Amino acid sequence: MAEVLDYILVAFIALVIPVQGFFETRSFREKVSKNAEVLSRMYRQTIILLWSVAVAVLVLWAWSARPFDELGLSASPGFALFVTLGFVVATVAGLFLQARNAGNSKSNAQAIMQQLQSAEGVLALMPTTKNQYRLFQKVSITAGITEEIIYRGYLIWFFSLFFPLIVAATLSLAVFAAAHFYQRSAKAVVQVLGVGLVLTLVYLLSGSLLPAIVLHMAIDLAMNSTIWRARSVAAG
């Protein structure tokens, strides 16, 4: 029974979520211009969806009596873990320094906004009010935790039942990228692939999802802060 549920859950993650996200965000963009609350509603729905899938993974995992270390929810002290933690700490510091610098001058802010014009689909989904900004921060924290459980922990485990680890990791990365097709920007999806690759390597090298979760949250929070500060200064 558990194996059947695994197939259903993986099909939902790999097929339903990307397709639903791609088509739903198109209608959301058309409605946002008329009602700003639509964007906040989309953020809330994203939070609910991600936590629902992550909880489903954890419940199925516990029900099947699988060791949680196989899902990456453990950490064994060792050289690899300390090296990846060092990399994560340095990267997080750099990300938040970049976010702070985004609001240091109007020229910096305008340069960032100009770069984002080529990823219009991303910019259209970013917060424009303080309430939306706070809510999107919650989306960032949610994504950092749940997407690592779903895409790195669960999917790599599932695909590794049938393929070598490198293939399993590649397939999970492809599904992770597909889940971000809603951004409707080739450049943005390539960036997602790059971020996903780094997160995958952090997970595989450390043997734990914890460094990847911290890094994922930091990337999303810093990106949100960078765009928010740049947009505010550029418009000022």
Side-chain angles (χ1 to χ4, degrees), residues 129-187:
T129 68
K130 287 185 178 180
N131 285 337
Q132 288 177 353
Y133 175 73
R134 296 188 190 99
L135 186 56
F136 196 70
Q137 296 292 68
K138 295 177 182 178
V139 174
S140 299
I141 294 170
T142 293
I145 299 170
T146 61
E147 288 187 351
E148 291 312 303
I149 292 172
I150 296 166
Y151 296 101
R152 247 63 66 186
Y154 184 59
L155 286 190
I156 290 179
W157 167 83
F158 179 83
F159 289 132
S160 66
L161 297 176
F162 310 96
F163 305 102
L165 182 59
I166 185 66
V167 177
T170 301
L171 289 173
S172 73
L173 184 57
V175 176
F176 178 67
H180 292 78
F181 282 172
Y182 67 86
Q183 296 180 359
R184 295 174 177 270
S185 165
K187 180 180 178 180

Short mmCIF file of all heavy atoms in Angstrom, two decimals, residues 129-187:
data_model
loop_
_atom_site.label_atom_id
_atom_site.label_comp_id
_atom_site.label_asym_id
_atom_site.label_seq_id
_atom_site.Cartn_x
_atom_site.Cartn_y
_atom_site.Cartn_z
N THR A 129 3.68 45.57 -1.90
CA THR A 129 3.27 46.26 -0.67
C THR A 129 3.98 45.62 0.52
O THR A 129 4.48 44.49 0.42
CB THR A 129 1.75 46.18 -0.46
OG1 THR A 129 1.38 44.82 -0.16
CG2 THR A 129 0.99 46.65 -1.70
N LYS A 130 4.00 46.33 1.65
CA LYS A 130 4.68 45.80 2.84
C LYS A 130 4.02 44.52 3.34
O LYS A 130 4.70 43.58 3.76
CB LYS A 130 4.69 46.86 3.94
CG LYS A 130 5.67 47.99 3.68
CD LYS A 130 5.75 48.94 4.86
CE LYS A 130 6.78 50.04 4.60
NZ LYS A 130 6.88 50.99 5.74
N ASN A 131 2.70 44.47 3.29
CA ASN A 131 2.00 43.27 3.74
C ASN A 131 2.34 42.08 2.84
O ASN A 131 2.54 40.95 3.32
CB ASN A 131 0.49 43.50 3.75
CG ASN A 131 0.05 44.36 4.92
OD1 ASN A 131 0.74 44.45 5.93
ND2 ASN A 131 -1.10 45.01 4.79
N GLN A 132 2.41 42.33 1.53
CA GLN A 132 2.79 41.26 0.60
C GLN A 132 4.24 40.83 0.84
O GLN A 132 4.56 39.64 0.77
CB GLN A 132 2.63 41.74 -0.84
CG GLN A 132 1.18 41.88 -1.29
CD GLN A 132 1.08 42.42 -2.70
OE1 GLN A 132 2.07 42.82 -3.30
NE2 GLN A 132 -0.14 42.45 -3.23
N TYR A 133 5.08 41.79 1.13
CA TYR A 133 6.49 41.49 1.39
C TYR A 133 6.63 40.57 2.61
O TYR A 133 7.36 39.57 2.56
CB TYR A 133 7.27 42.78 1.62
CG TYR A 133 8.71 42.58 2.02
CD1 TYR A 133 9.65 42.14 1.10
CD2 TYR A 133 9.12 42.83 3.32
CE1 TYR A 133 10.98 41.96 1.46
CE2 TYR A 133 10.44 42.65 3.70
CZ TYR A 133 11.37 42.21 2.77
OH TYR A 133 12.68 42.02 3.14
N ARG A 134 5.91 40.88 3.68
CA ARG A 134 5.97 40.04 4.88
C ARG A 134 5.43 38.64 4.59
O ARG A 134 5.98 37.64 5.06
CB ARG A 134 5.16 40.69 6.01
CG ARG A 134 5.72 42.02 6.49
CD ARG A 134 5.00 42.51 7.73
NE ARG A 134 5.37 43.87 8.07
CZ ARG A 134 4.65 44.94 7.76
NH1 ARG A 134 3.49 44.80 7.13
NH2 ARG A 134 5.06 46.15 8.10
N LEU A 135 4.37 38.57 3.82
CA LEU A 135 3.78 37.28 3.47
C LEU A 135 4.72 36.48 2.58
O LEU A 135 4.87 35.26 2.75
CB LEU A 135 2.44 37.49 2.77
CG LEU A 135 1.60 36.24 2.47
CD1 LEU A 135 1.34 35.43 3.73
CD2 LEU A 135 0.28 36.63 1.80
N PHE A 136 5.40 37.17 1.69
CA PHE A 136 6.32 36.47 0.78
C PHE A 136 7.54 35.95 1.54
O PHE A 136 8.14 34.95 1.14
CB PHE A 136 6.76 37.39 -0.36
CG PHE A 136 7.39 36.65 -1.51
CD1 PHE A 136 6.62 35.83 -2.31
CD2 PHE A 136 8.74 36.75 -1.77
CE1 PHE A 136 7.20 35.13 -3.37
CE2 PHE A 136 9.32 36.06 -2.81
CZ PHE A 136 8.54 35.25 -3.62
N GLN A 137 7.91 36.63 2.62
CA GLN A 137 8.98 36.11 3.47
C GLN A 137 8.58 34.75 4.05
O GLN A 137 9.40 33.85 4.18
CB GLN A 137 9.30 37.09 4.60
CG GLN A 137 9.85 38.44 4.15
CD GLN A 137 11.24 38.34 3.55
OE1 GLN A 137 11.42 37.78 2.47
NE2 GLN A 137 12.22 38.90 4.22
N LYS A 138 7.30 34.62 4.39
CA LYS A 138 6.80 33.34 4.90
C LYS A 138 6.83 32.28 3.79
O LYS A 138 7.09 31.10 4.06
CB LYS A 138 5.39 33.50 5.45
CG LYS A 138 5.31 34.40 6.66
CD LYS A 138 3.88 34.60 7.14
CE LYS A 138 3.82 35.56 8.32
NZ LYS A 138 2.43 35.80 8.79
N VAL A 139 6.56 32.69 2.56
CA VAL A 139 6.66 31.77 1.43
C VAL A 139 8.11 31.29 1.30
O VAL A 139 8.36 30.10 1.07
CB VAL A 139 6.21 32.45 0.11
CG1 VAL A 139 6.46 31.52 -1.08
CG2 VAL A 139 4.74 32.83 0.17
N SER A 140 9.05 32.20 1.46
CA SER A 140 10.47 31.86 1.35
C SER A 140 10.89 30.84 2.40
O SER A 140 11.60 29.87 2.10
CB SER A 140 11.33 33.12 1.49
OG SER A 140 11.02 34.05 0.47
N ILE A 141 10.46 31.06 3.63
CA ILE A 141 10.79 30.12 4.71
C ILE A 141 10.14 28.77 4.45
O ILE A 141 10.76 27.71 4.62
CB ILE A 141 10.34 30.70 6.06
CG1 ILE A 141 11.16 31.95 6.40
CG2 ILE A 141 10.47 29.65 7.18
CD1 ILE A 141 10.65 32.73 7.59
N THR A 142 8.88 28.80 4.02
CA THR A 142 8.15 27.57 3.69
C THR A 142 8.86 26.78 2.61
O THR A 142 9.08 25.57 2.72
CB THR A 142 6.72 27.89 3.24
OG1 THR A 142 5.98 28.42 4.35
CG2 THR A 142 6.01 26.66 2.71
N ALA A 143 9.24 27.49 1.53
CA ALA A 143 9.91 26.82 0.41
C ALA A 143 11.24 26.21 0.84
O ALA A 143 11.59 25.10 0.43
CB ALA A 143 10.11 27.80 -0.74
N GLY A 144 11.98 26.94 1.67
CA GLY A 144 13.28 26.44 2.12
C GLY A 144 13.17 25.12 2.85
O GLY A 144 14.01 24.22 2.68
N ILE A 145 12.14 24.98 3.66
CA ILE A 145 11.95 23.74 4.43
C ILE A 145 11.30 22.66 3.58
O ILE A 145 11.82 21.55 3.44
CB ILE A 145 11.10 24.01 5.68
CG1 ILE A 145 11.80 25.03 6.60
CG2 ILE A 145 10.83 22.70 6.44
CD1 ILE A 145 10.94 25.53 7.74
N THR A 146 10.13 22.98 3.02
CA THR A 146 9.33 21.95 2.35
C THR A 146 9.92 21.47 1.03
O THR A 146 9.88 20.27 0.74
CB THR A 146 7.90 22.47 2.10
OG1 THR A 146 7.95 23.63 1.25
CG2 THR A 146 7.22 22.85 3.41
N GLU A 147 10.48 22.37 0.24
CA GLU A 147 11.01 21.94 -1.05
C GLU A 147 12.24 21.06 -0.89
O GLU A 147 12.49 20.18 -1.72
CB GLU A 147 11.31 23.16 -1.93
CG GLU A 147 10.05 23.85 -2.44
CD GLU A 147 10.33 24.94 -3.44
OE1 GLU A 147 11.52 25.30 -3.62
OE2 GLU A 147 9.38 25.45 -4.06
N GLU A 148 13.00 21.28 0.16
CA GLU A 148 14.15 20.39 0.40
C GLU A 148 13.68 19.00 0.80
O GLU A 148 14.23 17.98 0.36
CB GLU A 148 15.07 20.98 1.46
CG GLU A 148 15.80 22.22 1.01
CD GLU A 148 16.46 22.05 -0.34
OE1 GLU A 148 17.28 21.12 -0.50
OE2 GLU A 148 16.14 22.83 -1.26
N ILE A 149 12.65 18.93 1.64
CA ILE A 149 12.08 17.63 2.01
C ILE A 149 11.52 16.93 0.78
O ILE A 149 11.76 15.73 0.57
CB ILE A 149 10.98 17.80 3.07
CG1 ILE A 149 11.58 18.28 4.40
CG2 ILE A 149 10.22 16.49 3.28
CD1 ILE A 149 10.56 18.66 5.45
N ILE A 150 10.79 17.69 -0.05
CA ILE A 150 10.11 17.10 -1.21
C ILE A 150 11.09 16.73 -2.32
O ILE A 150 11.13 15.57 -2.77
CB ILE A 150 9.05 18.08 -1.75
CG1 ILE A 150 7.95 18.32 -0.72
CG2 ILE A 150 8.44 17.54 -3.06
CD1 ILE A 150 7.06 19.52 -1.03
N TYR A 151 11.87 17.71 -2.78
CA TYR A 151 12.68 17.50 -3.99
C TYR A 151 14.04 16.87 -3.72
O TYR A 151 14.51 16.05 -4.52
CB TYR A 151 12.85 18.84 -4.73
CG TYR A 151 11.54 19.38 -5.24
CD1 TYR A 151 10.88 20.39 -4.56
CD2 TYR A 151 10.94 18.86 -6.38
CE1 TYR A 151 9.66 20.88 -5.00
CE2 TYR A 151 9.72 19.33 -6.83
CZ TYR A 151 9.08 20.33 -6.14
OH TYR A 151 7.86 20.81 -6.58
N ARG A 152 14.71 17.29 -2.66
CA ARG A 152 16.00 16.69 -2.37
C ARG A 152 15.85 15.39 -1.59
O ARG A 152 16.34 14.35 -1.99
CB ARG A 152 16.88 17.69 -1.59
CG ARG A 152 18.08 18.17 -2.36
CD ARG A 152 17.73 18.94 -3.61
NE ARG A 152 17.06 20.21 -3.30
CZ ARG A 152 16.56 21.01 -4.22
NH1 ARG A 152 16.60 20.68 -5.50
NH2 ARG A 152 15.97 22.15 -3.88
N GLY A 153 15.14 15.43 -0.47
CA GLY A 153 15.03 14.23 0.36
C GLY A 153 14.20 13.13 -0.26
O GLY A 153 14.69 12.03 -0.52
N TYR A 154 12.94 13.44 -0.53
CA TYR A 154 12.00 12.40 -0.97
C TYR A 154 12.24 11.94 -2.41
O TYR A 154 12.32 10.73 -2.68
CB TYR A 154 10.57 12.91 -0.81
CG TYR A 154 9.51 11.89 -1.14
CD1 TYR A 154 9.44 10.68 -0.46
CD2 TYR A 154 8.57 12.14 -2.15
CE1 TYR A 154 8.45 9.74 -0.76
CE2 TYR A 154 7.58 11.22 -2.44
CZ TYR A 154 7.53 10.02 -1.76
OH TYR A 154 6.55 9.09 -2.05
N LEU A 155 12.33 12.87 -3.34
CA LEU A 155 12.47 12.45 -4.74
C LEU A 155 13.79 11.75 -5.02
O LEU A 155 13.83 10.78 -5.78
CB LEU A 155 12.29 13.65 -5.68
CG LEU A 155 10.87 14.18 -5.86
CD1 LEU A 155 10.82 15.19 -7.00
CD2 LEU A 155 9.87 13.04 -6.14
N ILE A 156 14.87 12.23 -4.43
CA ILE A 156 16.15 11.53 -4.65
C ILE A 156 16.06 10.12 -4.09
O ILE A 156 16.52 9.16 -4.70
CB ILE A 156 17.32 12.32 -4.03
CG1 ILE A 156 17.58 13.59 -4.83
CG2 ILE A 156 18.59 11.44 -4.00
CD1 ILE A 156 18.71 14.45 -4.30
N TRP A 157 15.46 9.98 -2.91
CA TRP A 157 15.27 8.63 -2.34
C TRP A 157 14.43 7.77 -3.28
O TRP A 157 14.80 6.61 -3.57
CB TRP A 157 14.57 8.73 -0.99
CG TRP A 157 14.09 7.40 -0.49
CD1 TRP A 157 14.81 6.46 0.19
CD2 TRP A 157 12.77 6.85 -0.66
NE1 TRP A 157 14.03 5.35 0.44
CE2 TRP A 157 12.78 5.57 -0.07
CE3 TRP A 157 11.60 7.31 -1.26
CZ2 TRP A 157 11.65 4.74 -0.07
CZ3 TRP A 157 10.48 6.50 -1.26
CH2 TRP A 157 10.51 5.22 -0.65
N PHE A 158 13.32 8.31 -3.77
CA PHE A 158 12.42 7.52 -4.62
C PHE A 158 13.12 7.10 -5.91
O PHE A 158 13.10 5.92 -6.29
CB PHE A 158 11.16 8.32 -4.94
CG PHE A 158 10.19 7.59 -5.84
CD1 PHE A 158 9.29 6.67 -5.32
CD2 PHE A 158 10.19 7.81 -7.21
CE1 PHE A 158 8.42 5.98 -6.14
CE2 PHE A 158 9.31 7.13 -8.05
CZ PHE A 158 8.42 6.21 -7.51
N PHE A 159 13.72 8.05 -6.61
CA PHE A 159 14.36 7.72 -7.89
C PHE A 159 15.57 6.80 -7.70
O PHE A 159 15.90 6.02 -8.60
CB PHE A 159 14.79 9.00 -8.61
CG PHE A 159 13.64 9.81 -9.15
CD1 PHE A 159 13.56 11.18 -8.94
CD2 PHE A 159 12.62 9.20 -9.87
CE1 PHE A 159 12.51 11.93 -9.43
CE2 PHE A 159 11.54 9.94 -10.37
CZ PHE A 159 11.49 11.31 -10.15
N SER A 160 16.22 6.87 -6.54
CA SER A 160 17.38 6.00 -6.31
C SER A 160 16.98 4.55 -6.10
O SER A 160 17.84 3.66 -6.11
CB SER A 160 18.18 6.50 -5.09
OG SER A 160 17.42 6.36 -3.91
N LEU A 161 15.67 4.29 -5.95
CA LEU A 161 15.19 2.91 -5.88
C LEU A 161 15.32 2.23 -7.24
O LEU A 161 15.35 1.00 -7.33
CB LEU A 161 13.73 2.87 -5.43
CG LEU A 161 13.42 3.40 -4.02
CD1 LEU A 161 11.91 3.37 -3.79
CD2 LEU A 161 14.15 2.60 -2.97
N PHE A 162 15.38 3.04 -8.30
CA PHE A 162 15.39 2.50 -9.67
C PHE A 162 16.66 2.86 -10.45
O PHE A 162 16.97 2.20 -11.44
CB PHE A 162 14.18 3.03 -10.44
CG PHE A 162 12.88 2.86 -9.71
CD1 PHE A 162 12.34 3.91 -8.96
CD2 PHE A 162 12.19 1.66 -9.74
CE1 PHE A 162 11.15 3.76 -8.28
CE2 PHE A 162 10.99 1.51 -9.06
CZ PHE A 162 10.48 2.56 -8.32
N PHE A 163 17.37 3.91 -10.03
CA PHE A 163 18.51 4.40 -10.80
C PHE A 163 19.71 4.65 -9.88
O PHE A 163 19.54 4.78 -8.66
CB PHE A 163 18.16 5.72 -11.51
CG PHE A 163 16.93 5.64 -12.39
CD1 PHE A 163 15.72 6.16 -11.95
CD2 PHE A 163 16.99 5.06 -13.64
CE1 PHE A 163 14.59 6.11 -12.74
CE2 PHE A 163 15.87 4.99 -14.46
CZ PHE A 163 14.66 5.52 -14.00
N PRO A 164 20.90 4.75 -10.45
CA PRO A 164 22.07 5.16 -9.66
C PRO A 164 21.83 6.55 -9.06
O PRO A 164 21.04 7.34 -9.57
CB PRO A 164 23.21 5.18 -10.69
CG PRO A 164 22.74 4.29 -11.79
CD PRO A 164 21.26 4.43 -11.84
N LEU A 165 22.55 6.86 -7.98
CA LEU A 165 22.33 8.10 -7.25
C LEU A 165 22.45 9.33 -8.14
O LEU A 165 21.65 10.27 -8.03
CB LEU A 165 23.32 8.20 -6.09
CG LEU A 165 23.19 9.44 -5.20
CD1 LEU A 165 21.80 9.50 -4.57
CD2 LEU A 165 24.27 9.43 -4.13
N ILE A 166 23.42 9.36 -9.03
CA ILE A 166 23.63 10.54 -9.87
C ILE A 166 22.43 10.76 -10.79
O ILE A 166 22.01 11.89 -11.04
CB ILE A 166 24.93 10.41 -10.70
CG1 ILE A 166 25.20 11.70 -11.47
CG2 ILE A 166 24.89 9.22 -11.63
CD1 ILE A 166 25.50 12.89 -10.61
N VAL A 167 21.85 9.67 -11.29
CA VAL A 167 20.67 9.79 -12.15
C VAL A 167 19.47 10.22 -11.32
O VAL A 167 18.67 11.07 -11.75
CB VAL A 167 20.38 8.44 -12.86
CG1 VAL A 167 19.10 8.54 -13.68
CG2 VAL A 167 21.55 8.04 -13.74
N ALA A 168 19.33 9.65 -10.13
CA ALA A 168 18.23 10.01 -9.24
C ALA A 168 18.28 11.50 -8.90
O ALA A 168 17.25 12.19 -8.91
CB ALA A 168 18.28 9.17 -7.98
N ALA A 169 19.48 11.99 -8.61
CA ALA A 169 19.64 13.40 -8.28
C ALA A 169 19.31 14.29 -9.48
O ALA A 169 18.70 15.35 -9.33
CB ALA A 169 21.06 13.67 -7.80
N THR A 170 19.70 13.84 -10.67
CA THR A 170 19.41 14.61 -11.89
C THR A 170 17.91 14.67 -12.17
O THR A 170 17.37 15.71 -12.54
CB THR A 170 20.14 13.97 -13.10
OG1 THR A 170 21.54 13.95 -12.84
CG2 THR A 170 19.86 14.76 -14.37
N LEU A 171 17.23 13.54 -11.97
CA LEU A 171 15.78 13.52 -12.18
C LEU A 171 15.05 14.42 -11.18
O LEU A 171 14.13 15.15 -11.55
CB LEU A 171 15.26 12.08 -12.06
CG LEU A 171 15.64 11.13 -13.20
CD1 LEU A 171 15.21 9.70 -12.86
CD2 LEU A 171 14.99 11.58 -14.50
N SER A 172 15.49 14.40 -9.93
CA SER A 172 14.86 15.26 -8.93
C SER A 172 15.10 16.73 -9.26
O SER A 172 14.22 17.58 -9.06
CB SER A 172 15.40 14.95 -7.52
OG SER A 172 16.71 15.42 -7.36
N LEU A 173 16.28 17.03 -9.79
CA LEU A 173 16.61 18.40 -10.19
C LEU A 173 15.72 18.85 -11.35
O LEU A 173 15.26 20.00 -11.39
CB LEU A 173 18.08 18.48 -10.57
CG LEU A 173 18.64 19.86 -10.94
CD1 LEU A 173 18.44 20.84 -9.79
CD2 LEU A 173 20.13 19.75 -11.28
N ALA A 174 15.46 17.93 -12.29
CA ALA A 174 14.59 18.24 -13.42
C ALA A 174 13.16 18.54 -12.95
O ALA A 174 12.51 19.47 -13.44
CB ALA A 174 14.59 17.09 -14.42
N VAL A 175 12.68 17.76 -12.01
CA VAL A 175 11.33 17.99 -11.47
C VAL A 175 11.29 19.32 -10.71
O VAL A 175 10.31 20.07 -10.82
CB VAL A 175 10.91 16.83 -10.54
CG1 VAL A 175 9.56 17.12 -9.90
CG2 VAL A 175 10.87 15.52 -11.31
N PHE A 176 12.34 19.62 -9.97
CA PHE A 176 12.44 20.88 -9.24
C PHE A 176 12.37 22.06 -10.21
O PHE A 176 11.66 23.05 -9.95
CB PHE A 176 13.75 20.91 -8.45
CG PHE A 176 14.00 22.17 -7.68
CD1 PHE A 176 13.20 22.51 -6.60
CD2 PHE A 176 15.06 23.01 -8.02
CE1 PHE A 176 13.44 23.67 -5.87
CE2 PHE A 176 15.31 24.17 -7.30
CZ PHE A 176 14.50 24.50 -6.22
N ALA A 177 13.08 21.96 -11.32
CA ALA A 177 13.05 23.03 -12.32
C ALA A 177 11.66 23.14 -12.95
O ALA A 177 11.15 24.25 -13.16
CB ALA A 177 14.10 22.77 -13.39
N ALA A 178 11.05 21.99 -13.25
CA ALA A 178 9.72 22.00 -13.86
C ALA A 178 8.69 22.67 -12.95
O ALA A 178 7.77 23.35 -13.42
CB ALA A 178 9.28 20.57 -14.16
N ALA A 179 8.87 22.51 -11.64
CA ALA A 179 7.95 23.13 -10.68
C ALA A 179 8.04 24.64 -10.71
O ALA A 179 7.16 25.33 -10.17
CB ALA A 179 8.24 22.62 -9.28
N HIS A 180 9.10 25.18 -11.35
CA HIS A 180 9.28 26.63 -11.42
C HIS A 180 9.01 27.17 -12.83
O HIS A 180 9.33 28.34 -13.12
CB HIS A 180 10.69 27.01 -10.98
CG HIS A 180 10.93 26.77 -9.52
ND1 HIS A 180 11.18 25.51 -9.00
CD2 HIS A 180 10.95 27.62 -8.46
CE1 HIS A 180 11.35 25.60 -7.69
NE2 HIS A 180 11.21 26.85 -7.33
N PHE A 181 8.39 26.36 -13.69
CA PHE A 181 8.04 26.83 -15.03
C PHE A 181 7.02 27.97 -14.97
O PHE A 181 6.85 28.71 -15.94
CB PHE A 181 7.47 25.69 -15.87
CG PHE A 181 8.52 24.76 -16.44
CD1 PHE A 181 8.15 23.59 -17.07
CD2 PHE A 181 9.87 25.04 -16.32
CE1 PHE A 181 9.10 22.72 -17.58
CE2 PHE A 181 10.84 24.18 -16.83
CZ PHE A 181 10.45 23.02 -17.47
N TYR A 182 6.32 28.09 -13.84
CA TYR A 182 5.33 29.15 -13.69
C TYR A 182 5.96 30.54 -13.85
O TYR A 182 5.27 31.53 -14.13
CB TYR A 182 4.65 29.06 -12.32
CG TYR A 182 5.55 29.36 -11.15
CD1 TYR A 182 5.75 30.66 -10.71
CD2 TYR A 182 6.21 28.33 -10.48
CE1 TYR A 182 6.60 30.93 -9.65
CE2 TYR A 182 7.04 28.60 -9.41
CZ TYR A 182 7.24 29.89 -9.01
OH TYR A 182 8.07 30.16 -7.95
N GLN A 183 7.28 30.63 -13.69
CA GLN A 183 7.95 31.92 -13.84
C GLN A 183 8.00 32.37 -15.30
O GLN A 183 8.25 33.54 -15.58
CB GLN A 183 9.37 31.83 -13.26
CG GLN A 183 9.36 31.56 -11.76
CD GLN A 183 10.77 31.46 -11.17
OE1 GLN A 183 11.77 31.57 -11.88
NE2 GLN A 183 10.85 31.26 -9.87
N ARG A 184 7.78 31.44 -16.22
CA ARG A 184 7.68 31.74 -17.65
C ARG A 184 8.88 32.54 -18.16
O ARG A 184 8.74 33.48 -18.95
CB ARG A 184 6.37 32.48 -17.95
CG ARG A 184 5.13 31.64 -17.70
CD ARG A 184 3.86 32.43 -17.86
NE ARG A 184 2.71 31.56 -17.68
CZ ARG A 184 2.11 30.89 -18.65
NH1 ARG A 184 2.55 31.00 -19.88
NH2 ARG A 184 1.06 30.12 -18.39
N SER A 185 10.05 32.17 -17.71
CA SER A 185 11.28 32.83 -18.13
C SER A 185 12.38 31.79 -18.21
O SER A 185 12.69 31.13 -17.22
CB SER A 185 11.65 33.93 -17.13
OG SER A 185 12.99 34.34 -17.31
N ALA A 186 12.96 31.64 -19.41
CA ALA A 186 14.03 30.67 -19.59
C ALA A 186 15.21 31.01 -18.69
O ALA A 186 15.83 30.12 -18.10
CB ALA A 186 14.46 30.64 -21.05
N LYS A 187 15.52 32.30 -18.58
CA LYS A 187 16.63 32.73 -17.74
C LYS A 187 16.38 32.36 -16.29
O LYS A 187 17.28 31.87 -15.59
CB LYS A 187 16.81 34.25 -17.87
CG LYS A 187 17.94 34.81 -17.03
CD LYS A 187 18.06 36.30 -17.20
CE LYS A 187 19.17 36.88 -16.32
NZ LYS A 187 19.28 38.35 -16.48
#
